[in-house]
Amino acid sequence: MARNSRCYGPLTYGGKRVAGYKDRLTRDLDAWIASDLVPASSRSAILSTIADPKRADAATALAYVGVALLGLAMIAFVAANWNGIPRIGRYGLVSLTFLAAALGAAWATSRGAVNTANALLTFAALVFAADIGLTGQIFDLSGDPQTALYGAAAAAALIGLAGRSTGAILVALVLASLGDLESTTWNNPCVVAAGALAVVGLAFWWRSAALAHGAGVALILGAAEALTRVDAPHHPPLWMFTLGAAGAFALLAGMARAMRTPLTRIFYGWLVLGALVFLAWNSFDSGVWPQVRNLGLIAASIAVILLGRRDRYFALQLVGWLAFWFGACVIGFEIGVDEHFKDAWRFGDRLLCVAGASAMIGLGRHDRSGWLVGLGVLAMLGTVSMIFADFGLSLMAAAGVFAVSAVIALVVGLALRRRAPA
């Protein structure tokens, strides 16, 4: 069997992207049949025992788009005729829109149209949040924006739980995040962090990939928000907390990777991203030590790239390369480095960029990955441009370098496109 039996990301089969277990089993069966390990007559019988995964079709996508456009049309109509509509009319129009969305979701659920019901409940949660704000405006009521946002988040969460709507739950997370940005009444309680933990459990309960992605983002935002609360004179330096957060996210990522399920794979990717985000945050300080910590970020990004290649996880490789170039750019900007070290840092940074771009091109060629080769070529051209700039070229000369680099990038891109399998 191929070495990617512990696969965490999309594979390729016959030049096409492979997304599910049945696709991987089809590829393995063909290999086993070619090796005379399985009789060819058993192929159809084995594949028939595996159900085809559900995929969103064009009709479902158009349904979501239609609901969104309908909501925008309603909002635009009310905004255009706001002054001409009596107060009770404004309130009734918004409230009836919410009621219609809720009843429509109930009807769709009874008919088994799960995606339509999810879209309508998501729309209802958004309308209810707007209703809270518009009610105060319509009747000139005083209120606190933070309380209103938290109230709307709680309502969206209840709507989501009642109707099993992943969209409404994600709306609740967004509203909670906006409420945390306000600091009027509740003294920054970090609601989004608590909400993220709740949505993690809900994602496993409902087996929802959408909630897993939303919870992954919210975990990073919640941890970052909590860290902003500890930057005070009587606390240890902030970089200690960011380093600790990076370690915690890395530990959780390792646990998620070891579980090897579709949902934990999603959390695995987001937790790795969180670890790199806090390592990047850790690099911003004064003195030479932040640059040393930034080299640690680059080392961690290289480890993530190698891990992504081992697990055949495209997103993980992309995150690793983004972290690598972020670290290289931070060193290139010479943040907090003494004058005596600038030349050494600049020279080392340019060598690091050349090595990184060369590695991208080499690995891309080895893996037959057009996106990696293309990014590597662009990175190499950018590095060459920086080196020319170090020699003190004029702006006109720099413009010429960028123009030539752009032409080369376009030519390479077209060549890669023509060589791509049909």
Side-chain angles (χ1 to χ4, degrees):
M1 187 179 295
R3 66 183 179 92
N4 58 331
S5 57
R6 293 192 306 169
C7 176
Y8 288 90
L11 306 176
T12 57
Y13 175 64
K16 296 182 179 179
R17 190 167 179 172
V18 177
Y21 169 71
K22 189 170 184 177
D23 296 318
R24 296 196 299 272
L25 180 60
T26 301
R27 183 204 59 190
D28 290 337
L29 275 175
D30 291 340
W32 297 336
I33 291 172
S35 302
D36 294 328
L37 298 176
V38 175
S41 58
S42 301
R43 184 180 188 276
S44 299
I46 294 174
L47 292 178
S48 64
T49 62
I50 308 297
D52 290 322
K54 290 184 177 180
R55 288 184 174 90
D57 54 11
T60 302
L62 289 175
Y64 278 100
V65 172
V67 169
L69 292 177
L70 181 63
L72 291 174
M74 186 276 297
I75 295 172
F77 174 80
V78 174
N81 300 276
W82 190 252
N83 293 327
I85 303 176
R87 290 187 177 185
I88 192 65
R90 302 174 196 169
Y91 178 75
L93 183 59
V94 176
S95 300
L96 286 175
T97 301
F98 168 76
L99 181 61
L103 292 176
W107 174 82
T109 301
S110 67
R111 299 292 297 270
V114 179
N115 290 321
T116 302
N118 190 9
L120 288 173
L121 285 175
T122 303
F123 178 63
L126 290 169
V127 172
F128 190 88
D131 196 8
I132 292 178
L134 290 175
T135 300
Q137 182 184 18
I138 292 170
F139 297 104
D140 297 325
L141 301 176
S142 60
D144 173 50
Q146 189 180 35
T147 303
L149 287 168
Y150 286 153
L158 292 175
I159 291 172
L161 291 173
R164 200 180 177 90
S165 170
T166 57
I169 296 296
L170 295 178
V171 168
L173 275 180
V174 173
L175 293 172
S177 302
L178 295 176
D180 284 351
L181 294 177
E182 299 284 344
S183 57
T184 53
T185 301
W186 297 91
N187 194 24
N188 303 317
C190 298
V191 172
V192 69
L197 295 176
V199 174
V200 168
L202 195 61
F204 283 105
W205 184 19
W206 289 358
R207 297 181 180 179
S208 170
L211 290 185
H213 285 293
V217 176
L219 284 172
I220 298 175
L221 293 178
E225 184 182 354
L227 287 176
T228 61
R229 310 286 187 259
V230 300
D231 191 14
H234 59 280
H235 285 299
L238 181 60
W239 68 266
M240 292 186 179
F241 290 97
T242 55
L243 190 61
F249 270 76
L251 178 61
L252 292 174
M255 295 172 60
R257 180 177 183 269
M259 296 176 70
R260 305 179 191 175
T261 67
L263 283 181
T264 55
R265 182 189 71 139
I266 295 174
F267 285 112
Y268 167 42
W270 285 110
L271 290 169
V272 169
L273 175 61
L276 292 177
V277 165
F278 293 116
L279 278 178
W281 189 353
N282 188 260
S283 301
F284 288 93
D285 205 340
S286 60
V288 179
W289 279 107
Q291 292 289 40
V292 176
R293 297 200 298 270
N294 193 63
L295 292 176
L297 168 64
I298 292 176
S301 66
I302 293 174
V304 169
I305 293 168
L306 296 177
L307 195 60
R309 284 174 52 78
R310 174 183 173 83
D311 295 340
R312 300 293 180 89
Y313 198 163
F314 164 79
L316 207 63
Q317 294 183 61
L318 183 59
V319 165
W321 281 115
L322 290 175
F324 175 88
W325 290 112
F326 176 85
C329 289
V330 171
I331 291 178
F333 287 133
E334 300 144 356
I335 294 178
V337 178
D338 187 81
E339 290 289 339
H340 297 89
F341 296 97
K342 280 190 175 182
D343 290 338
W345 280 115
R346 182 183 291 112
F347 180 76
D349 176 65
R350 301 306 184 255
L351 289 179
L352 182 65
C353 290
V354 170
S358 301
M360 292 178 73
I361 296 173
L363 292 175
R365 293 285 297 173
H366 179 270
D367 296 341
R368 297 183 181 179
S369 174
W371 71 268
L372 187 55
V373 174
L375 288 178
V377 171
L378 291 176
M380 182 64 76
L381 294 174
T383 302
V384 171
S385 299
M386 288 190 298
I387 293 174
F388 279 131
D390 292 338
F391 290 126
L393 292 178
S394 65
L395 290 178
M396 288 300 296
V401 170
F402 282 115
V404 173
S405 300
V407 172
I408 295 175
L410 290 174
V411 171
V412 172
L414 290 174
L416 290 174
R417 185 178 182 85
R418 290 180 178 178
R419 293 186 60 183

